[in-house]
Structures are given as C-alpha cells and as structure tokens.
Amino acid sequence: MIPDEPLVLGIETSCDETGVGIVRGHTLLADAVASSVDQHARFGGVVPEVASRAHLEAMVPTIQRACDTAGIALSDVDAIAVTHGPGLAGALLVGVASAKALALSLGKPIYGVNHLAAHVAVDQLEHGALPEPCLALLVSGGHSSLLRVTDITGTDRGVDPMGATIDDAAGEAFDKVARLLGLPFPGGPHIDRVAREGNQVAIDFPRGLTSRRDLERHRFDFSFSGLKTAVARWVEARERSGEPVPVADVAASFQEAVCDVLVRKALDAAATEGIEDLMIGGGVAANSRLRAMAEERATKLGIRVRVPRPGLCTDNGAMVAALGSTMVARGRTPSSLDLPADSSLPVTDVLAV
Amino acid sequence: MLLAFDTASPTVTVALHDGSDVVASATATTAMKHGEQLAPLIEQVLASAGARPADLTAIAVGAGPGPFTGLRVGLVTARTMGHVLGIAVHGVCSLDALAIEAVETGAVDGDFLVATDARRKEVYLASYDGRGVRTSEPVVDRPAALATDRPVVGEGAALYPDAFPAGREPLRPDAAWLARAVAAERVALLAPEPLYLRRPDAEIPQAPKAVLSDVAPTP
Ligand SMILES: [Zn+2]
C-alpha cells in the first residue's frame, strides 16, 4: 500500500443492500453492508419502499461501522463516491443524499458513479489494476450485460455495451425458478446448493438466443424468460402426472442452461474483440458452476478469467469506493453537488458531471 | 449556529439561525428534486452567511409527515451531517413549523388546524391552540373524513376547499420559521425519525400461476 494513494469512501444503496466501503488505492480497508433482504423475503422480491426505509435507518450506523473497521476518521477521507444509478429511485436517493452530506460537511469532492461500472471496478481490490481492454460479464438480479471496457472511468466510451438481456435478468430467473421449486428468496445461492446434488444433463432446457437466426440479431444478447417458462412447464407437467419433482435435477439443469449461455456468449465476445481478459461480476458471479465453467472453457481459448470473491460480487460499498479511487487516481473531474439519482442511468455514463 | 431544513413538501427550504435570528435562508424555485437541490441550497445558505459546516452547533429537520422520498432526503442529510460534525439533530413535525408561522404572521387567531397534501386524495392534519402548540397527533385521512369549518393552514386546505372552507396561508413549511420555532423552544423536539403515518405498499404474492393449458405435454 502506497501511503499517498487516495482514501475513498463509497456508498451503495441501489437495491436492498446499504453498503459503505473504504479503500486506499486498490486496498480494501472496510466493506460494511446492512441488508434488508429478510424484510423482502415474504414478498418474493425487493419492495422499493421497504428498501428505502431500511436504507435510511442503516445509513449512518453503516458509515460508522465502516470507519471503525478501517480504523480511520471521516476527516481522513480524500473523496466520497456514491452509486447514482441505475437502481431503485427512492433507494438510490438515500445514498446520494447521505454522500452529499458527507462531501459537504467534510469539504471533500464527490463522485457520482455508475453501479454497473462499479461491479467491474471492484475486481481491482482482489486482483489489482484492471487489464484494459477487458470484457466484463455482469450478471445479477437486476442486470445481465456484456461490456467492452477500455477505460473503467468511462472516458471515450470506455465502457461500451456489446449485449444485454432482452427480458429477465439472470438473477431474476434464478429467483423465479427457486420459487417454482419451493426454495427460499433470493434463489441464487439455494439453486447453487441444491444443484450440486443433481444431474445437470438430466433435462435439456432451452438456451435463449442461441439459434442461428437469433444470433444474427442478438449475438451477444441474453434472454431468460423462455427458459423460466420451460422450467415452469416441465415442473407443472410432472406435478400433474403425479410424479415427484426431482428438485436437484431441475435446479442443476436450469443452472447449466443459464451458465452455458452466459459463458458461451462472453467468450464469443472476447474472441471476436481479441480481448484476452474476461471479468465476471454481479451477484450471479457468486454461482459456483458459472465460475467453474468459465474457467474451464476460457483456459482452452487462452483467455484469463477474473472473478472477485463472492462477497465482492454482490452489491456493496467497496465496489463504489474502488471505482471512486480510480476516478481520483486518473484525475477525473468530481461531480457537482446537485448530481441526481438516475434510476435508468445508461451503462455508458460512468461518472456524473 | 442552527441549520434548519424541511423536505416534507414539494418545496426544499433551508435556513441558518445564529441564536438571535435567521441570518440566511433559501427556498428552491423548482418543486420536487429534493435529492438534487437540498445539498447545494445548504451550501449556498452557509456561504451567504459566511459560515462553514464546522460553525454549526445543531440541526433541525422537518420530520414530516410528508411524501416519503423527499422526507428521507432531508432526514438522511440531517443525520449524516450531525454524525460528521458531532452535533445534535432534532426532528420537528413539519406541520408545527407551519403552525408557528401562521400564529406569528397573524394568519390565525385562536384554535386552528394544519393540513398538508398527503397525495392519493388524502391530507395530513393536526390541531393547534392559539399559541401554535400542537394539541393532537398528526393523522392521514380523506379530506371528507376530516372536514371542518375552523381555520385551516397549509396546502391541504387549498387543495380541498369543500372540506376546508376556511383555508389560508402559509401553504408549505418555511425553514426560516422552523429555525425560529426551534431557537425559541416553541416546538416539541423529536428524534430525527420519519413520521410516515402509512405502512409501505407491498403485497404478498400468490402461488405461481399455472402455465400449462388443459393438456400437459410430455416433459
Ligand atoms: Zn448490482
């Protein structure tokens, strides 16, 4: 750790996690997260108003916890970074307002950053400076994107979308299939766990947007809605025929279909662009099968795979701080104090003006 | 120095009080956009009084009731600033600031009510005595259910004149009056907790819908 690297505090409140991270350069000092996930479980999805209320209650205690863990005083911080989009509007606003209050009270610059780019930047905390260019596959309950990253701070279209989901996000499909199988919310970790006992080739579920015709128009796009329906039909048919549903086999076969499409398209994109580094981030990157499959297939193509540890893949403040730290290091102009929360912020807008 | 602000109405309002009177204040010219406007207005108010954040000794914040999204912007800003600066943060019922202003400007004489816009065709309402002391907990309901011929201050009366025929200004909270009310110890100081008065809208989902038609295909 170089002592004069910037000390940055990052705030993330785009969904149901109140995250406050503190980094110095590429070194992670604290990653405090308060989650309201338990309050949403019985609704089968995140309820925006419930999430916003929880952010307000958790905000200051989480800032305090991050400072305690990092062993720093707030006055030591060189800059504040905050997710200003995309995400749930009311939830984002709590973090943005708190970040502004910090910047204003401390007299320090604020960087309003893009949540998706932060998911990519977080890898620097684990594997050091991001290779640029790299190809980023971001998969979570809210997003499924393939990004060509030539400058993670976004200059000159440095974060360029090559493809995205045309319907459900990958994580959403995990949640819906989990519910169908009677597994708890959020579905990802439960499917992953149950799938280990199952046979991934037991059922041949469809791979969305992989037919020759689809590839012409949607070569790097994803679709998980048809897969979700196929799983629902299969399970329902079983139930109607009075046979037990082989939960582990369904989970494993579904997971295999999702991972197969994600990895296949990501590697196709990397090969097409001549990019040798693939970064996988977002909550679904915590999936053990996705990691294993990506490693295995990428190695054969001479492509290196970088996946942060699961705790850094889900939404957190450290990823925001990591991107903020890069903004400071590259001398980017801080955002204005009137920066908005933008629920539909495009991925190409990495830093708010 | 006391910094006061309120975001429980469509108007963002900020004021600075030096112990004897309000030394600077600002009210947003654009309605809504609380998250964008509050911090720059605080910065502007401090600068126009030649004050720095470190000069602040306390913060008073409107705790609602009011539209939730804006309300939270004010509360999280107050809590965060209070935490950084190590100063007290007081919540004040946003209707109380309107009541004090109404009394001090002679808009009312004797008992009265304050009603603000709660959206969804409802109002937030509380009752006050002639000195502006609140005599009931704020409630949220349909105007028809709260209708009265007594004087009613606030936007709720202006929006629903059939229910509140004796409506009058002021319409929305003004941080200058919030600051004066707190400095003069004329309002109850609360924890900086939001007065939501409503539970979040959320529905527990039904069992997954069937996707099959009458005849089940072979799996
Ligand atoms: Zn995310």
PDB file of all heavy atoms in Angstrom, chain B residues 60-98:
ATOM      1  N   ALA B  60     -31.904  21.234  12.812  1.00  0.00           N
ATOM      2  CA  ALA B  60     -33.327  20.928  12.966  1.00  0.00           C
ATOM      3  C   ALA B  60     -33.848  20.515  11.594  1.00  0.00           C
ATOM      4  O   ALA B  60     -33.588  21.178  10.594  1.00  0.00           O
ATOM      5  CB  ALA B  60     -34.090  22.147  13.465  1.00  0.00           C
ATOM      6  N   VAL B  61     -34.572  19.404  11.555  1.00  0.00           N
ATOM      7  CA  VAL B  61     -35.043  18.893  10.266  1.00  0.00           C
ATOM      8  C   VAL B  61     -36.532  18.567  10.354  1.00  0.00           C
ATOM      9  O   VAL B  61     -36.994  18.022  11.368  1.00  0.00           O
ATOM     10  CB  VAL B  61     -34.214  17.656   9.831  1.00  0.00           C
ATOM     11  CG1 VAL B  61     -34.308  16.527  10.862  1.00  0.00           C
ATOM     12  CG2 VAL B  61     -34.658  17.148   8.455  1.00  0.00           C
ATOM     13  N   GLY B  62     -37.258  18.923   9.321  1.00  0.00           N
ATOM     14  CA  GLY B  62     -38.665  18.567   9.250  1.00  0.00           C
ATOM     15  C   GLY B  62     -38.796  17.052   9.172  1.00  0.00           C
ATOM     16  O   GLY B  62     -38.221  16.430   8.291  1.00  0.00           O
ATOM     17  N   ALA B  63     -39.547  16.462  10.110  1.00  0.00           N
ATOM     18  CA  ALA B  63     -39.659  15.003  10.180  1.00  0.00           C
ATOM     19  C   ALA B  63     -40.942  14.508   9.520  1.00  0.00           C
ATOM     20  O   ALA B  63     -41.324  13.359   9.678  1.00  0.00           O
ATOM     21  CB  ALA B  63     -39.598  14.551  11.633  1.00  0.00           C
ATOM     22  N   GLY B  64     -41.613  15.423   8.796  1.00  0.00           N
ATOM     23  CA  GLY B  64     -42.852  15.029   8.158  1.00  0.00           C
ATOM     24  C   GLY B  64     -44.025  15.273   9.088  1.00  0.00           C
ATOM     25  O   GLY B  64     -43.858  15.980  10.095  1.00  0.00           O
ATOM     26  N   PRO B  65     -45.195  14.727   8.838  1.00  0.00           N
ATOM     27  CA  PRO B  65     -45.429  13.809   7.727  1.00  0.00           C
ATOM     28  C   PRO B  65     -45.364  14.524   6.381  1.00  0.00           C
ATOM     29  O   PRO B  65     -45.630  15.716   6.295  1.00  0.00           O
ATOM     30  CB  PRO B  65     -46.834  13.287   8.009  1.00  0.00           C
ATOM     31  CG  PRO B  65     -47.487  14.371   8.813  1.00  0.00           C
ATOM     32  CD  PRO B  65     -46.391  14.975   9.635  1.00  0.00           C
ATOM     33  N   GLY B  66     -45.020  13.751   5.349  1.00  0.00           N
ATOM     34  CA  GLY B  66     -44.919  14.291   4.005  1.00  0.00           C
ATOM     35  C   GLY B  66     -44.535  13.172   3.066  1.00  0.00           C
ATOM     36  O   GLY B  66     -44.224  12.070   3.513  1.00  0.00           O
ATOM     37  N   PRO B  67     -44.557  13.434   1.747  1.00  0.00           N
ATOM     38  CA  PRO B  67     -44.177  12.399   0.778  1.00  0.00           C
ATOM     39  C   PRO B  67     -42.822  11.780   1.146  1.00  0.00           C
ATOM     40  O   PRO B  67     -41.854  12.491   1.408  1.00  0.00           O
ATOM     41  CB  PRO B  67     -44.134  13.165  -0.539  1.00  0.00           C
ATOM     42  CG  PRO B  67     -45.157  14.256  -0.340  1.00  0.00           C
ATOM     43  CD  PRO B  67     -45.016  14.667   1.094  1.00  0.00           C
ATOM     44  N   PHE B  68     -42.796  10.442   1.170  1.00  0.00           N
ATOM     45  CA  PHE B  68     -41.668   9.716   1.771  1.00  0.00           C
ATOM     46  C   PHE B  68     -40.309   9.968   1.126  1.00  0.00           C
ATOM     47  O   PHE B  68     -39.304  10.070   1.818  1.00  0.00           O
ATOM     48  CB  PHE B  68     -41.930   8.201   1.728  1.00  0.00           C
ATOM     49  CG  PHE B  68     -43.232   7.771   2.344  1.00  0.00           C
ATOM     50  CD1 PHE B  68     -43.819   6.574   1.955  1.00  0.00           C
ATOM     51  CD2 PHE B  68     -43.860   8.551   3.311  1.00  0.00           C
ATOM     52  CE1 PHE B  68     -45.015   6.162   2.517  1.00  0.00           C
ATOM     53  CE2 PHE B  68     -45.062   8.148   3.873  1.00  0.00           C
ATOM     54  CZ  PHE B  68     -45.643   6.945   3.479  1.00  0.00           C
ATOM     55  N   THR B  69     -40.289  10.006  -0.190  1.00  0.00           N
ATOM     56  CA  THR B  69     -38.992  10.080  -0.871  1.00  0.00           C
ATOM     57  C   THR B  69     -38.253  11.364  -0.511  1.00  0.00           C
ATOM     58  O   THR B  69     -37.076  11.343  -0.154  1.00  0.00           O
ATOM     59  CB  THR B  69     -39.186   9.964  -2.388  1.00  0.00           C
ATOM     60  OG1 THR B  69     -39.875   8.733  -2.650  1.00  0.00           O
ATOM     61  CG2 THR B  69     -37.866   9.938  -3.115  1.00  0.00           C
ATOM     62  N   GLY B  70     -38.968  12.489  -0.578  1.00  0.00           N
ATOM     63  CA  GLY B  70     -38.362  13.760  -0.220  1.00  0.00           C
ATOM     64  C   GLY B  70     -38.031  13.815   1.256  1.00  0.00           C
ATOM     65  O   GLY B  70     -36.959  14.282   1.663  1.00  0.00           O
ATOM     66  N   LEU B  71     -38.938  13.323   2.058  1.00  0.00           N
ATOM     67  CA  LEU B  71     -38.748  13.318   3.509  1.00  0.00           C
ATOM     68  C   LEU B  71     -37.440  12.634   3.891  1.00  0.00           C
ATOM     69  O   LEU B  71     -36.656  13.136   4.702  1.00  0.00           O
ATOM     70  CB  LEU B  71     -39.940  12.586   4.136  1.00  0.00           C
ATOM     71  CG  LEU B  71     -39.972  12.431   5.652  1.00  0.00           C
ATOM     72  CD1 LEU B  71     -39.920  13.786   6.327  1.00  0.00           C
ATOM     73  CD2 LEU B  71     -41.233  11.670   6.075  1.00  0.00           C
ATOM     74  N   ARG B  72     -37.176  11.482   3.262  1.00  0.00           N
ATOM     75  CA  ARG B  72     -35.952  10.743   3.596  1.00  0.00           C
ATOM     76  C   ARG B  72     -34.693  11.501   3.203  1.00  0.00           C
ATOM     77  O   ARG B  72     -33.660  11.376   3.859  1.00  0.00           O
ATOM     78  CB  ARG B  72     -35.969   9.368   2.916  1.00  0.00           C
ATOM     79  CG  ARG B  72     -36.735   8.334   3.692  1.00  0.00           C
ATOM     80  CD  ARG B  72     -36.556   6.957   3.088  1.00  0.00           C
ATOM     81  NE  ARG B  72     -37.265   6.807   1.843  1.00  0.00           N
ATOM     82  CZ  ARG B  72     -38.487   6.277   1.729  1.00  0.00           C
ATOM     83  NH1 ARG B  72     -39.121   5.835   2.785  1.00  0.00           N
ATOM     84  NH2 ARG B  72     -39.071   6.175   0.563  1.00  0.00           N
ATOM     85  N   VAL B  73     -34.766  12.270   2.111  1.00  0.00           N
ATOM     86  CA  VAL B  73     -33.601  13.059   1.700  1.00  0.00           C
ATOM     87  C   VAL B  73     -33.211  14.015   2.821  1.00  0.00           C
ATOM     88  O   VAL B  73     -32.043  14.129   3.191  1.00  0.00           O
ATOM     89  CB  VAL B  73     -33.899  13.837   0.394  1.00  0.00           C
ATOM     90  CG1 VAL B  73     -32.828  14.890   0.142  1.00  0.00           C
ATOM     91  CG2 VAL B  73     -33.995  12.879  -0.785  1.00  0.00           C
ATOM     92  N   GLY B  74     -34.209  14.682   3.395  1.00  0.00           N
ATOM     93  CA  GLY B  74     -33.930  15.607   4.493  1.00  0.00           C
ATOM     94  C   GLY B  74     -33.386  14.895   5.716  1.00  0.00           C
ATOM     95  O   GLY B  74     -32.395  15.324   6.316  1.00  0.00           O
ATOM     96  N   LEU B  75     -34.016  13.793   6.081  1.00  0.00           N
ATOM     97  CA  LEU B  75     -33.610  13.098   7.301  1.00  0.00           C
ATOM     98  C   LEU B  75     -32.227  12.477   7.186  1.00  0.00           C
ATOM     99  O   LEU B  75     -31.425  12.549   8.118  1.00  0.00           O
ATOM    100  CB  LEU B  75     -34.653  12.042   7.669  1.00  0.00           C
ATOM    101  CG  LEU B  75     -35.931  12.652   8.246  1.00  0.00           C
ATOM    102  CD1 LEU B  75     -37.060  11.635   8.252  1.00  0.00           C
ATOM    103  CD2 LEU B  75     -35.697  13.180   9.659  1.00  0.00           C
ATOM    104  N   VAL B  76     -31.915  11.871   6.042  1.00  0.00           N
ATOM    105  CA  VAL B  76     -30.598  11.241   5.933  1.00  0.00           C
ATOM    106  C   VAL B  76     -29.507  12.307   5.841  1.00  0.00           C
ATOM    107  O   VAL B  76     -28.387  12.114   6.327  1.00  0.00           O
ATOM    108  CB  VAL B  76     -30.532  10.230   4.754  1.00  0.00           C
ATOM    109  CG1 VAL B  76     -30.291  10.912   3.417  1.00  0.00           C
ATOM    110  CG2 VAL B  76     -29.453   9.183   5.015  1.00  0.00           C
ATOM    111  N   THR B  77     -29.848  13.444   5.237  1.00  0.00           N
ATOM    112  CA  THR B  77     -28.889  14.550   5.178  1.00  0.00           C
ATOM    113  C   THR B  77     -28.602  15.071   6.586  1.00  0.00           C
ATOM    114  O   THR B  77     -27.441  15.253   6.965  1.00  0.00           O
ATOM    115  CB  THR B  77     -29.441  15.688   4.290  1.00  0.00           C
ATOM    116  OG1 THR B  77     -29.683  15.172   2.983  1.00  0.00           O
ATOM    117  CG2 THR B  77     -28.472  16.856   4.211  1.00  0.00           C
ATOM    118  N   ALA B  78     -29.668  15.276   7.361  1.00  0.00           N
ATOM    119  CA  ALA B  78     -29.508  15.779   8.730  1.00  0.00           C
ATOM    120  C   ALA B  78     -28.720  14.784   9.583  1.00  0.00           C
ATOM    121  O   ALA B  78     -27.782  15.162  10.300  1.00  0.00           O
ATOM    122  CB  ALA B  78     -30.880  16.034   9.346  1.00  0.00           C
ATOM    123  N   ARG B  79     -29.084  13.517   9.506  1.00  0.00           N
ATOM    124  CA  ARG B  79     -28.398  12.514  10.325  1.00  0.00           C
ATOM    125  C   ARG B  79     -26.928  12.405   9.956  1.00  0.00           C
ATOM    126  O   ARG B  79     -26.061  12.275  10.818  1.00  0.00           O
ATOM    127  CB  ARG B  79     -29.054  11.146  10.116  1.00  0.00           C
ATOM    128  CG  ARG B  79     -30.427  11.009  10.728  1.00  0.00           C
ATOM    129  CD  ARG B  79     -30.882   9.578  10.502  1.00  0.00           C
ATOM    130  NE  ARG B  79     -32.270   9.379  10.880  1.00  0.00           N
ATOM    131  CZ  ARG B  79     -32.865   8.187  10.868  1.00  0.00           C
ATOM    132  NH1 ARG B  79     -32.189   7.124  10.479  1.00  0.00           N
ATOM    133  NH2 ARG B  79     -34.120   8.067  11.226  1.00  0.00           N
ATOM    134  N   THR B  80     -26.644  12.427   8.637  1.00  0.00           N
ATOM    135  CA  THR B  80     -25.249  12.280   8.194  1.00  0.00           C
ATOM    136  C   THR B  80     -24.431  13.503   8.612  1.00  0.00           C
ATOM    137  O   THR B  80     -23.328  13.363   9.142  1.00  0.00           O
ATOM    138  CB  THR B  80     -25.181  12.081   6.668  1.00  0.00           C
ATOM    139  OG1 THR B  80     -26.015  10.976   6.311  1.00  0.00           O
ATOM    140  CG2 THR B  80     -23.756  11.799   6.217  1.00  0.00           C
ATOM    141  N   MET B  81     -24.987  14.698   8.397  1.00  0.00           N
ATOM    142  CA  MET B  81     -24.255  15.912   8.791  1.00  0.00           C
ATOM    143  C   MET B  81     -24.039  15.928  10.303  1.00  0.00           C
ATOM    144  O   MET B  81     -22.952  16.272  10.779  1.00  0.00           O
ATOM    145  CB  MET B  81     -25.020  17.171   8.355  1.00  0.00           C
ATOM    146  CG  MET B  81     -25.001  17.401   6.860  1.00  0.00           C
ATOM    147  SD  MET B  81     -25.718  19.007   6.399  1.00  0.00           S
ATOM    148  CE  MET B  81     -24.386  20.124   6.911  1.00  0.00           C
ATOM    149  N   GLY B  82     -25.069  15.560  11.045  1.00  0.00           N
ATOM    150  CA  GLY B  82     -24.945  15.526  12.503  1.00  0.00           C
ATOM    151  C   GLY B  82     -23.861  14.565  12.945  1.00  0.00           C
ATOM    152  O   GLY B  82     -23.073  14.859  13.853  1.00  0.00           O
ATOM    153  N   HIS B  83     -23.789  13.429  12.261  1.00  0.00           N
ATOM    154  CA  HIS B  83     -22.771  12.419  12.590  1.00  0.00           C
ATOM    155  C   HIS B  83     -21.360  12.939  12.299  1.00  0.00           C
ATOM    156  O   HIS B  83     -20.454  12.832  13.127  1.00  0.00           O
ATOM    157  CB  HIS B  83     -23.050  11.152  11.791  1.00  0.00           C
ATOM    158  CG  HIS B  83     -22.028  10.085  11.963  1.00  0.00           C
ATOM    159  ND1 HIS B  83     -21.864   9.397  13.151  1.00  0.00           N
ATOM    160  CD2 HIS B  83     -21.093   9.595  11.110  1.00  0.00           C
ATOM    161  CE1 HIS B  83     -20.871   8.526  13.013  1.00  0.00           C
ATOM    162  NE2 HIS B  83     -20.393   8.619  11.791  1.00  0.00           N
ATOM    163  N   VAL B  84     -21.186  13.518  11.110  1.00  0.00           N
ATOM    164  CA  VAL B  84     -19.851  14.021  10.723  1.00  0.00           C
ATOM    165  C   VAL B  84     -19.405  15.146  11.643  1.00  0.00           C
ATOM    166  O   VAL B  84     -18.257  15.190  12.087  1.00  0.00           O
ATOM    167  CB  VAL B  84     -19.869  14.549   9.260  1.00  0.00           C
ATOM    168  CG1 VAL B  84     -18.510  15.146   8.903  1.00  0.00           C
ATOM    169  CG2 VAL B  84     -20.228  13.441   8.295  1.00  0.00           C
ATOM    170  N   LEU B  85     -20.329  16.058  11.928  1.00  0.00           N
ATOM    171  CA  LEU B  85     -19.968  17.260  12.688  1.00  0.00           C
ATOM    172  C   LEU B  85     -20.058  17.048  14.194  1.00  0.00           C
ATOM    173  O   LEU B  85     -19.632  17.910  14.967  1.00  0.00           O
ATOM    174  CB  LEU B  85     -20.880  18.433  12.264  1.00  0.00           C
ATOM    175  CG  LEU B  85     -20.831  18.783  10.762  1.00  0.00           C
ATOM    176  CD1 LEU B  85     -21.938  19.766  10.401  1.00  0.00           C
ATOM    177  CD2 LEU B  85     -19.462  19.366  10.393  1.00  0.00           C
ATOM    178  N   GLY B  86     -20.616  15.928  14.603  1.00  0.00           N
ATOM    179  CA  GLY B  86     -20.737  15.642  16.033  1.00  0.00           C
ATOM    180  C   GLY B  86     -21.665  16.598  16.744  1.00  0.00           C
ATOM    181  O   GLY B  86     -21.388  17.042  17.862  1.00  0.00           O
ATOM    182  N   ILE B  87     -22.786  16.932  16.102  1.00  0.00           N
ATOM    183  CA  ILE B  87     -23.745  17.868  16.702  1.00  0.00           C
ATOM    184  C   ILE B  87     -25.139  17.236  16.785  1.00  0.00           C
ATOM    185  O   ILE B  87     -25.410  16.241  16.111  1.00  0.00           O
ATOM    186  CB  ILE B  87     -23.826  19.206  15.897  1.00  0.00           C
ATOM    187  CG1 ILE B  87     -24.227  18.933  14.446  1.00  0.00           C
ATOM    188  CG2 ILE B  87     -22.483  19.938  15.962  1.00  0.00           C
ATOM    189  CD1 ILE B  87     -24.399  20.193  13.610  1.00  0.00           C
ATOM    190  N   ALA B  88     -25.989  17.841  17.618  1.00  0.00           N
ATOM    191  CA  ALA B  88     -27.334  17.307  17.832  1.00  0.00           C
ATOM    192  C   ALA B  88     -28.198  17.490  16.590  1.00  0.00           C
ATOM    193  O   ALA B  88     -28.072  18.493  15.871  1.00  0.00           O
ATOM    194  CB  ALA B  88     -27.986  18.019  19.009  1.00  0.00           C
ATOM    195  N   VAL B  89     -29.057  16.520  16.333  1.00  0.00           N
ATOM    196  CA  VAL B  89     -30.018  16.609  15.230  1.00  0.00           C
ATOM    197  C   VAL B  89     -31.421  16.447  15.817  1.00  0.00           C
ATOM    198  O   VAL B  89     -31.717  15.435  16.451  1.00  0.00           O
ATOM    199  CB  VAL B  89     -29.772  15.511  14.172  1.00  0.00           C
ATOM    200  CG1 VAL B  89     -30.801  15.620  13.054  1.00  0.00           C
ATOM    201  CG2 VAL B  89     -28.362  15.618  13.609  1.00  0.00           C
ATOM    202  N   HIS B  90     -32.258  17.471  15.633  1.00  0.00           N
ATOM    203  CA  HIS B  90     -33.619  17.448  16.157  1.00  0.00           C
ATOM    204  C   HIS B  90     -34.614  17.278  15.025  1.00  0.00           C
ATOM    205  O   HIS B  90     -34.543  17.990  14.033  1.00  0.00           O
ATOM    206  CB  HIS B  90     -33.949  18.764  16.877  1.00  0.00           C
ATOM    207  CG  HIS B  90     -32.942  19.131  17.915  1.00  0.00           C
ATOM    208  ND1 HIS B  90     -32.705  18.362  19.031  1.00  0.00           N
ATOM    209  CD2 HIS B  90     -32.102  20.187  18.012  1.00  0.00           C
ATOM    210  CE1 HIS B  90     -31.756  18.918  19.768  1.00  0.00           C
ATOM    211  NE2 HIS B  90     -31.367  20.028  19.171  1.00  0.00           N
ATOM    212  N   GLY B  91     -35.552  16.376  15.199  1.00  0.00           N
ATOM    213  CA  GLY B  91     -36.669  16.280  14.278  1.00  0.00           C
ATOM    214  C   GLY B  91     -37.799  17.173  14.783  1.00  0.00           C
ATOM    215  O   GLY B  91     -37.987  17.313  15.984  1.00  0.00           O
ATOM    216  N   VAL B  92     -38.507  17.787  13.850  1.00  0.00           N
ATOM    217  CA  VAL B  92     -39.659  18.619  14.214  1.00  0.00           C
ATOM    218  C   VAL B  92     -40.794  18.233  13.276  1.00  0.00           C
ATOM    219  O   VAL B  92     -40.584  18.137  12.057  1.00  0.00           O
ATOM    220  CB  VAL B  92     -39.347  20.122  14.053  1.00  0.00           C
ATOM    221  CG1 VAL B  92     -40.596  20.971  14.296  1.00  0.00           C
ATOM    222  CG2 VAL B  92     -38.219  20.539  14.983  1.00  0.00           C
ATOM    223  N   CYS B  93     -41.972  18.015  13.819  1.00  0.00           N
ATOM    224  CA  CYS B  93     -43.132  17.744  12.969  1.00  0.00           C
ATOM    225  C   CYS B  93     -43.278  18.904  11.987  1.00  0.00           C
ATOM    226  O   CYS B  93     -43.345  20.069  12.389  1.00  0.00           O
ATOM    227  CB  CYS B  93     -44.388  17.601  13.840  1.00  0.00           C
ATOM    228  SG  CYS B  93     -45.904  17.498  12.867  1.00  0.00           S
ATOM    229  N   SER B  94     -43.292  18.583  10.690  1.00  0.00           N
ATOM    230  CA  SER B  94     -43.297  19.637   9.670  1.00  0.00           C
ATOM    231  C   SER B  94     -44.530  20.528   9.754  1.00  0.00           C
ATOM    232  O   SER B  94     -44.494  21.694   9.342  1.00  0.00           O
ATOM    233  CB  SER B  94     -43.200  19.018   8.276  1.00  0.00           C
ATOM    234  OG  SER B  94     -41.967  18.343   8.136  1.00  0.00           O
ATOM    235  N   LEU B  95     -45.628  19.995  10.284  1.00  0.00           N
ATOM    236  CA  LEU B  95     -46.845  20.805  10.422  1.00  0.00           C
ATOM    237  C   LEU B  95     -46.649  21.886  11.496  1.00  0.00           C
ATOM    238  O   LEU B  95     -47.259  22.955  11.432  1.00  0.00           O
ATOM    239  CB  LEU B  95     -48.042  19.913  10.784  1.00  0.00           C
ATOM    240  CG  LEU B  95     -48.308  18.700   9.886  1.00  0.00           C
ATOM    241  CD1 LEU B  95     -49.600  18.000  10.315  1.00  0.00           C
ATOM    242  CD2 LEU B  95     -48.381  19.083   8.428  1.00  0.00           C
ATOM    243  N   ASP B  96     -45.777  21.606  12.488  1.00  0.00           N
ATOM    244  CA  ASP B  96     -45.549  22.573  13.579  1.00  0.00           C
ATOM    245  C   ASP B  96     -44.927  23.873  13.060  1.00  0.00           C
ATOM    246  O   ASP B  96     -45.248  24.960  13.547  1.00  0.00           O
ATOM    247  CB  ASP B  96     -44.633  21.964  14.649  1.00  0.00           C
ATOM    248  CG  ASP B  96     -45.284  20.813  15.413  1.00  0.00           C
ATOM    249  OD1 ASP B  96     -46.422  20.442  15.056  1.00  0.00           O
ATOM    250  OD2 ASP B  96     -44.648  20.292  16.349  1.00  0.00           O
ATOM    251  N   ALA B  97     -44.015  23.745  12.096  1.00  0.00           N
ATOM    252  CA  ALA B  97     -43.376  24.949  11.557  1.00  0.00           C
ATOM    253  C   ALA B  97     -44.422  25.827  10.877  1.00  0.00           C
ATOM    254  O   ALA B  97     -44.393  27.067  11.010  1.00  0.00           O
ATOM    255  CB  ALA B  97     -42.282  24.567  10.572  1.00  0.00           C
ATOM    256  N   LEU B  98     -45.359  25.208  10.171  1.00  0.00           N
ATOM    257  CA  LEU B  98     -46.445  25.964   9.541  1.00  0.00           C
ATOM    258  C   LEU B  98     -47.313  26.645  10.602  1.00  0.00           C
ATOM    259  O   LEU B  98     -47.752  27.795  10.426  1.00  0.00           O
ATOM    260  CB  LEU B  98     -47.321  25.012   8.708  1.00  0.00           C
ATOM    261  CG  LEU B  98     -46.846  24.705   7.299  1.00  0.00           C
ATOM    262  CD1 LEU B  98     -47.537  23.457   6.760  1.00  0.00           C
ATOM    263  CD2 LEU B  98     -47.131  25.893   6.382  1.00  0.00           C
TER     264      LEU B  98
END
